[in-house]
Amino acid sequence: MRLKGKNIILGITGSIAAYKAAMLLRLFIKEGAEVQVVITPAGKEFITPVTLSALSNKPVISEFFGANDGTWNSHVDLGLWADVMVIAPATASTMGKMANGIADNMLITTYLSAKCPVMVAPAMDLDMFAHPSTQRNISILKEYGNIIVEPGEGELASGLTGKGRMEEPEKILEAVIQQLGVKKNC
Ligand SMILES: Cc1cc2nc3c(=O)[nH]c(=O)nc-3n(C[C@H](O)[C@H](O)[C@H](O)COP(=O)(O)O)c2cc1C
């Protein structure tokens, strides 16, 4: 239970690697963490909120507003609650928005409100990853102090081989535990 007492925001975006986020979520829970999933609208095309809420024992947050009844989700409260925010998988689009403050969904507003360390695990095809735009955005995120969990090299979902596959959930878990060991609180 190496994450007992820790609050984690798990951000999930619209990548084919989103299925791995379910395994990462399971690992966080098994280690004793409380996890709030925040998923982009595109992310929900790749993995269902039902799976994620069942694994986390919490409703998944995705939209700003509730069911037209005046309720809303508070990214500010979430940003203050977390000990660490982990965005896995992180698409090229989401990293571009993070780098430029384009706060058009719950995940980005939560990111901008987060006082805690933010860890980002990119996932995409090799050419998207190698593009100067993606690389520049990653550099900007590093400048902001975000921690990039570098993608691995190997066979990609597209069938191509190269760098871009999201790091394995077990390795992301270890990186999170190490990070929380360094910085105890936000
Ligand atoms: C089948 C499929 C797989 C995709 N996989 C990725 C991916 O691994 N990485 C990525 O950056 N974009 C990927 N995309 C594109 C994103 O889904 C798209 O850019 C989306 O707008 C991302 O939105 P989000 O970052 O808000 O979740 C994929 C699209 C499709 C149709």
Side-chain angles (χ1 to χ4, degrees):
M1 298 286 255
R2 292 174 294 170
L3 292 173
K4 198 159 177 46
K6 297 296 182 192
N7 296 334
I8 300 177
I9 297 170
L10 177 58
I12 301 176
T13 69
S15 159
I16 193 71
Y19 75 93
K20 289 190 189 172
M23 298 172 204
L24 181 58
L25 170 56
R26 186 81 193 104
L27 292 174
F28 285 155
I29 298 287
K30 277 172 90 171
E31 291 287 355
E34 199 173 323
V35 184
Q36 176 63 62
V37 173
V38 181
I39 189 167
T40 63
K44 290 190 284 186
E45 299 287 338
F46 291 84
I47 184 163
T48 73
V50 172
T51 300
L52 300 165
S53 67
L55 289 175
S56 63
N57 286 314
K58 277 182 194 296
V60 166
I61 294 178
S62 183
E63 310 298 334
F64 288 116
F65 307 107
N68 238 350
D69 58 359
T71 56
W72 74 93
N73 287 311
S74 173
H75 51 276
V76 176
D77 289 348
L78 255 184
L80 294 172
W81 168 83
D83 293 299
V84 65
M85 178 172 187
V86 182
I87 305 177
T91 59
S93 173
T94 284
M95 290 195 295
K97 289 181 184 179
M98 291 165 68
N100 293 287
I102 301 172
D104 67 351
N105 66 41
M106 264 305 283
L107 191 149
I108 307 291
T109 51
T110 304
Y111 163 69
L112 292 175
S113 304
K115 295 264 197 199
C116 56
V118 178
M119 303 181 71
V120 183
M124 66 203 69
D125 214 37
L126 73 163
D127 295 314
M128 285 180 86
F129 186 71
H131 196 279
S133 160
T134 308
Q135 290 303 314
R136 193 193 55 177
N137 287 330
I138 289 176
S139 301
I140 292 171
L141 295 183
K142 284 182 183 166
E143 273 174 36
Y144 293 164
N146 301 157
I147 299 132
I148 306 295
V149 182
E150 287 288 328
E153 287 199 31
E155 197 183 328
L156 301 162
S158 61
L160 300 171
T161 302
K163 186 168 180 178
R165 56 185 285 163
M166 189 179 92
E167 186 52 282
E168 293 308 318
E170 291 79 6
K171 291 212 173 141
I172 298 175
L173 170 72
E174 294 308 322
V176 169
I177 288 170
Q178 198 187 354
Q179 174 59 35
L180 285 170
V182 175
K183 275 195 171 182
K184 291 260 183 274
N185 282 306
C186 295

